[in-house]
Amino acid sequence: MASTSKKATAACCDQGDSSLGHRGTPAKSPAVPAASSASQEWNEDLKSTNAAVISLLRPETATKATIKGIQYMARAQTSHPLDPLSPAEIAVAISTVRAAGATPEVRDSMRFVEVVLLEPDKQVVALADAYFFPPFQPSLLPRTKGGSIIPRELPPRLARLVVYNKKSNGTSVWIVQLSEVHAATRGGHHRGKVVSSKVVPDVQPPMDAVEYAECEAVVKEYPRFIDAMKKRGIEDMDLVMVDAWCVGYYSEVDAPSRRLAKPLIFCRTESDCPMENGYARPVEGIHVVVDMQNMVLLEFEDRKLVPLPPADPLRNYTPSETRGGVDRSDVKLLKIVQPEGPSFRVNGRYVEWQKWNFRIGFTPREGLVIHSVAYVDGSRGRRPIAHRLSFVEMVVPYGDPNEPHYRKNAFDAGEDGLGKNAHSLKKGCDCLGYIKCFDAHFTNFTGGVETIENCVCMHEEDHGILWKHQDWRTGLAEVRRSRRLSVSFMCTVANYEYGFYWYFYQDGKIEAEVKLTGVLSLGALQPGEFRKYGTMIAPGLYAPVHQHFSVARMDMAVDCKAGEAHNQVVEVNVKVEGPGKENIHNNAFYAEETLLRSELEAMRDCNPRSSRHWIVRNTRTVNRSGQLTGYKLVPSSNCLPFSSPEAMFLRRAAFLKHNLWVTHYASGEDFPGGEFPNQNPRVGEGLATWVKQNRSLEETDIVLWYVFGITHVPRLEDWPVMPVEHIGFMLQPHGFFNCSPAVDVPPNACELEIKENDVKDEMKPNPPSLIAKL
């Protein structure tokens, strides 16, 4: 199986020149004025320069090449302003910051949590798309009386670094200007320039994989821990798993003045079974607190001896080992074939698929980022829809008030990093068909550059029927197959796997989906013990109830060019007409719209009883009916936290209190719980604080924050592996097009192959004689 998947991946995955990037400028940081100063100087150059576009930048000079059926467009420059940092740029940024350290001791103590692209202003992106990078779209920039003014070059790229000092336990944020010539690739010195640096007090940055490994080693070497495991019948420490969970914030003991972890302990049963589910045997009753700065145990206590759950034969989920070594034998080979290649075109990180176009980014915190989403709409040309789409947080609170489960409320993006935990698609059949893959590059804790090969997957999928109608009078029928473009990545955070997907459809829809799978985080029970806060799934083993909340951040730009802020948000609720002259048959209902005028008004919750949804509209563009053009956010099934408002984890996750938040775009407002949620003692940092400004939303640059989740009451069928659960939402055109974009999809875009005569009739009916006997 493994060898087959490797061969399939090698045949269908074409590696892209991907790298890593990020946008977050710290609010109220000295880094902002300094970076803005460089941008202002460039803007002055833009105003004063009246240079013509050189012939190399003309659209007609762009050539095309074809690799494995994918069309590539020639690039005018090497790095688009939104391209994630390349490995060379990451290395330059790190060496620049290291060189700026005041003493050798400071330089040696630097640990690099994050190195990402500081994303430029939207005007810079528009200029790059208009004149510097194919397919060249001058219409993206507003025209002046004297014609377009084009600078000779784009502003330099900036890197943003989060640096943890292991000796001082301090956290700092650096902005580094990068040069075009990366001497690091030729073995030379760094070519970066420190624009600004700032120490951020009273915070703890995300944990790193290196720290997790060191924490496990320290705990497993601790003599009292070894004795405690022997009491439970465990002599072999290689079987023990130590997951270094962040402590969260429950009292001043958890304050960020110390870098702390409170590990969860599990134990495998066999050392020669690498795919055994080690989470099947939780070790309860052991209390451990680890100082992650100095890698020492601060607290250790063997509080209660809970027997390890017995070895369950279902714990081994490797092929041919489940259910007594019998796998299904009735699954035939399924092939996804595109003999003419895919319908999308790729130029670096720029993607064109049918009438859609966008750019693919990636950050160690968010993972996949979709930039500059637009739709080419006939004579109306390229119509922007969103500037930036990403999943910015994932919070998983557990509902068991007992130790250690009440502390299990992980911030999987802010405490760990979704992108840093992403998978290489070389290791499984995550995607099928003709696949385009993109790599991801990021720093490790000590400043080295690492690459996740084939991290982002892009491919086309058949999605059933797009539309169909049959005229019963004539017998004629028209039907079109639906096809969607899927862009996704997957990551593992401890026991859970998450898949993050953006789907683009032929009828103008955009769907966001999170798939949850992996294995459950479990608890052990005393003989005869029962807990109402979970489901017993095996002898001595139970799964606590919990919730998963994901937050999508959508920087919208519906029909807005660079520099335009012409969007607003309306809420739509379906109302039942009261009895009276206008409703004499008592059947009347209608949709009522309410403009969300300010940020405090725009804290909203889903309401399936009124079919509630929200529309982002352009205030100055109309369709052929004279209505404002827009895109609507349609919720799927959703929930809110079941914990009481006083729950301690809600201090850091106040954004979970509502399903929808809307803010006026501001640089630095990137993460709903603030940039550093780890051990954060402050109440309501992030969204809950920003909206107190109550900025106007009547006509502005709109950012939607949609919080969507699922309540997981575990089943026996979730053991030993958890089948995929789906949560998400839809962005649908609402008056954006004058008619359905699906109307012109050709009928011959799929191949129908009926082989019913070749299928063996293995389910023949019983003969009449046998029926008579029965």
Side-chain angles (χ1 to χ4, degrees):
M1 183 93 177
S3 60
T4 304
S5 65
K6 287 181 180 178
K7 289 179 182 177
T9 305
C12 66
C13 277
D14 176 51
Q15 289 190 168
D17 51 335
S18 66
S19 36
L20 207 62
H22 183 36
R23 68 189 312 223
T25 305
K28 300 180 181 179
S29 164
V32 176
S36 299
S37 176
S39 179
Q40 289 172 3
E41 291 178 7
W42 175 81
N43 286 330
E44 290 300 320
D45 183 57
L46 171 62
K47 294 175 183 178
S48 62
T49 304
N50 193 13
V53 184
I54 60 174
S55 59
L56 180 62
L57 301 181
R58 291 175 183 162
E60 57 268 22
T61 64
T63 59
K64 296 179 182 178
T66 301
I67 302 177
K68 293 185 179 179
I70 300 176
Q71 294 185 38
Y72 284 78
M73 297 165 285
R75 305 184 70 183
Q77 292 192 5
T78 56
S79 295
H80 185 277
L82 290 178
D83 281 352
L85 297 180
S86 67
E89 288 176 313
I90 294 173
V92 166
I94 290 171
S95 61
T96 301
V97 169
R98 268 220 178 97
T103 64
E105 185 178 53
V106 170
R107 294 193 287 272
D108 291 343
S109 297
M110 287 182 173
R111 298 295 181 267
F112 295 88
V113 177
E114 186 177 88
V115 181
V116 295
L117 174 74
L118 181 62
E119 294 174 19
D121 293 339
K122 298 176 184 181
Q123 289 84 351
V124 175
V125 175
L127 180 75
D129 291 337
Y131 296 112
F132 286 85
F133 289 85
F136 307 107
Q137 304 159 83
S139 62
L140 293 180
L141 290 181
R143 295 282 181 174
T144 62
K145 290 183 179 180
S148 297
I149 301 174
I150 308 164
R152 287 183 293 268
E153 59 183 4
L154 293 171
R157 283 158 62 84
L158 300 175
R160 186 177 188 274
L161 300 88
V162 176
V163 181
Y164 173 70
N165 188 296
K166 192 167 177 62
K167 185 171 181 62
S168 67
N169 193 37
T171 301
S172 57
V173 174
W174 300 68
I175 307 297
V176 173
Q177 179 179 303
L178 303 168
S179 65
E180 277 297 318
V181 180
H182 300 137
T185 61
R186 305 194 306 272
H189 298 290
H190 66 85
R191 288 291 186 274
K193 173 186 176 183
V194 174
V195 175
S196 67
S197 65
K198 176 190 176 183
V199 174
V200 185
D202 202 28
V203 299
Q204 283 294 337
M207 293 289 186
D208 187 84
V210 171
E211 294 179 289
Y212 287 145
E214 291 177 353
C215 176
E216 181 174 70
V218 166
V219 172
K220 289 164 66 171
E221 292 171 357
Y222 190 65
R224 292 177 62 191
F225 177 79
I226 295 173
D227 292 341
M229 295 305 297
K230 286 181 178 179
K231 290 180 184 178
R232 291 159 173 81
I234 304 300
E235 300 278 350
D236 185 359
M237 286 295 107
D238 289 339
L239 298 176
V240 178
M241 299 162 44
V242 180
D243 281 4
W245 281 55
C246 298
V247 298
Y249 185 85
Y250 288 84
S251 69
E252 187 58 28
V253 176
D254 303 323
S257 55
R258 298 184 300 177
R259 189 165 175 80
L260 303 175
K262 195 168 186 180
L264 299 179
I265 315 298
F266 304 89
C267 186
R268 290 189 169 95
T269 58
E270 300 177 41
S271 59
D272 59 349
C273 183
M275 290 303 292
E276 178 191 354
N277 181 5
Y279 293 100
R281 302 182 80 201
V283 179
E284 298 234 10
I286 295 179
H287 169 83
V288 184
V289 177
V290 179
D291 177 345
M292 300 293 281
Q293 176 192 359
N294 301 300
M295 282 302 162
V296 296
L297 271 68
L298 297 176
E299 299 177 23
F300 179 87
E301 186 178 353
D302 191 354
R303 293 177 172 175
K304 182 172 62 173
L305 182 61
V306 181
L308 286 173
D312 193 314
L314 294 178
R315 73 192 183 281
N316 189 343
Y317 48 80
T318 50
S320 301
E321 295 290 338
T322 58
R323 297 188 181 276
V326 178
D327 285 344
R328 299 186 187 189
S329 60
D330 55 354
V331 180
K332 307 297 184 184
L333 179 64
L334 175 65
K335 288 186 177 181
I336 310 297
V337 179
Q338 291 180 273
E340 298 177 0
S343 301
F344 53 78
R345 300 192 305 161
V346 179
N347 177 13
R349 293 291 180 127
Y350 180 73
V351 176
E352 290 180 337
W353 180 71
Q354 299 194 34
K355 297 182 179 182
W356 290 103
N357 57 72
F358 53 85
R359 289 188 175 276
I360 290 178
F362 199 89
T363 79
R365 181 168 181 155
E366 302 155 283
L368 175 63
V369 179
I370 307 292
H371 297 282
S372 304
V373 180
Y375 193 93
V376 180
D377 186 17
S379 61
R380 300 187 71 166
R382 182 184 185 275
R383 301 180 65 187
I385 296 170
H387 180 71
R388 193 179 194 275
L389 306 173
S390 69
F391 298 99
V392 287
E393 192 55 271
M394 170 77 78
V395 182
V396 189
Y398 279 68
D400 187 341
N402 296 284
E403 277 275 9
H405 307 288
Y406 78 92
R407 282 183 175 266
K408 290 159 70 173
N409 42 76
F411 286 61
D412 288 332
E415 290 179 342
D416 290 283
L418 299 174
K420 267 197 170 183
N421 290 284
H423 299 176
S424 170
L425 300 181
K426 284 185 172 182
K427 298 179 180 178
C429 294
D430 301 77
C431 306
L432 292 178
Y434 210 114
I435 302 169
K436 166 65 181 176
C437 298
F438 299 86
D439 295 345
H441 311 287
F442 55 90
T443 179
N444 59 27
F445 207 41
T446 56
V449 181
E450 297 185 358
T451 296
I452 302 176
E453 295 183 343
N454 298 342
C455 182
V456 173
C457 169
M458 183 174 71
H459 66 290
E460 294 175 286
E461 295 178 341
D462 179 84
H463 194 64
I465 295 176
L466 178 63
W467 65 272
K468 180 175 183 175
H469 180 65
Q470 181 167 314
D471 190 320
W472 67 270
R473 291 181 175 84
T474 65
L476 299 177
E478 288 288 341
V479 63
R480 302 291 188 270
R481 296 294 299 179
S482 176
R483 187 182 302 192
R484 68 184 183 184
L485 183 68
S486 169
V487 190
S488 65
F489 83 104
M490 296 198 72
C491 67
T492 298
V493 184
N495 56 293
Y496 258 106
E497 264 71 22
Y498 300 109
F500 297 89
Y501 296 76
W502 292 97
Y503 301 115
F504 297 86
Y505 290 86
Q506 292 165 302
D507 60 352
K509 294 197 300 283
I510 304 171
E511 183 181 8
E513 183 179 50
V514 178
K515 297 181 181 181
L516 301 83
T517 180
V519 297
L520 294 167
S521 180
L522 305 170
L525 297 176
Q526 296 274 17
E529 183 183 4
F530 168 80
R531 286 189 191 171
K532 64 181 179 181
Y533 307 107
T535 303
M536 181 176 287
I537 59 174
L541 191 64
Y542 94 111
V545 294
H546 57 279
Q547 294 181 287
H548 296 262
F549 291 99
S550 187
V551 185
R553 181 183 182 276
M554 295 165 280
D555 185 352
M556 303 300 291
V558 177
D559 269 335
C560 289
K561 296 180 180 179
E564 295 180 347
H566 300 156
N567 282 178
Q568 62 180 200
V569 181
V570 297
E571 179 174 288
V572 181
N573 289 279
V574 173
K575 300 277 187 170
V576 176
E577 187 72 74
K581 294 182 180 179
E582 295 183 358
N583 189 20
I584 59 175
H585 301 292
N586 296 311
N587 69 313
F589 60 93
Y590 61 96
E592 181 179 79
E593 296 184 355
T594 303
L595 175 63
L596 302 180
R597 299 181 181 276
S598 68
E599 291 177 323
L600 290 179
E601 286 184 31
M603 298 185 297
R604 308 298 298 164
D605 296 328
C606 296
N607 185 0
R609 289 180 174 270
S610 66
S611 191
R612 180 174 293 168
H613 58 274
W614 300 274
I615 304 174
V616 180
R617 284 192 172 138
N618 187 292
T619 57
R620 304 191 185 188
T621 305
V622 297
N623 54 33
R624 67 175 181 173
S625 299
Q627 301 165 330
L628 298 177
T629 61
Y631 254 76
K632 71 176 181 179
L633 190 162
V634 182
S636 185
S637 60
N638 207 339
C639 61
L640 290 168
F642 280 111
S643 48
S644 67
E646 293 76 26
M648 287 298 292
F649 81 91
L650 287 176
R651 290 172 59 100
R652 301 187 295 149
F655 53 87
L656 297 184
K657 295 179 180 180
H658 296 287
N659 296 127
L660 180 78
W661 305 71
V662 185
T663 58
H664 176 113
Y665 171 81
S667 177
E669 294 184 359
D670 301 312
F671 304 110
E675 183 171 11
F676 301 105
N678 186 15
Q679 298 180 235
N680 186 357
R682 295 168 290 281
V683 179
E685 188 167 280
L687 263 177
T689 299
W690 302 332
V691 298
K692 290 179 181 178
Q693 302 171 74
N694 205 22
R695 293 164 290 194
S696 173
L697 301 175
E698 294 195 46
E699 186 181 57
T700 189
D701 193 346
I702 292 291
V703 179
L704 297 180
W705 308 76
Y706 184 61
V707 181
F708 57 105
I710 186 173
T711 301
H712 190 184
V713 180
R715 314 163 298 159
L716 290 178
E717 291 81 3
D718 292 330
W719 174 254
V721 295
M722 198 186 81
V724 170
E725 298 272 6
H726 304 256
I727 56 176
F729 62 93
M730 191 78 74
L731 291 171
Q732 296 180 343
H734 188 84
F736 190 78
F737 301 107
N738 287 328
C739 66
S740 172
V743 72
D744 58 355
V745 174
N748 59 349
C750 62
E751 183 178 353
L752 180 63
E753 187 176 13
I754 300 176
K755 291 187 176 181
E756 52 192 336
N757 293 330
D758 295 339
V759 178
K760 295 180 180 179
D761 187 3
E762 297 176 351
M763 298 293 290
K764 293 181 179 179
N766 292 319
S769 58
L770 178 59
I771 294 175
K773 290 180 181 180
L774 294 175

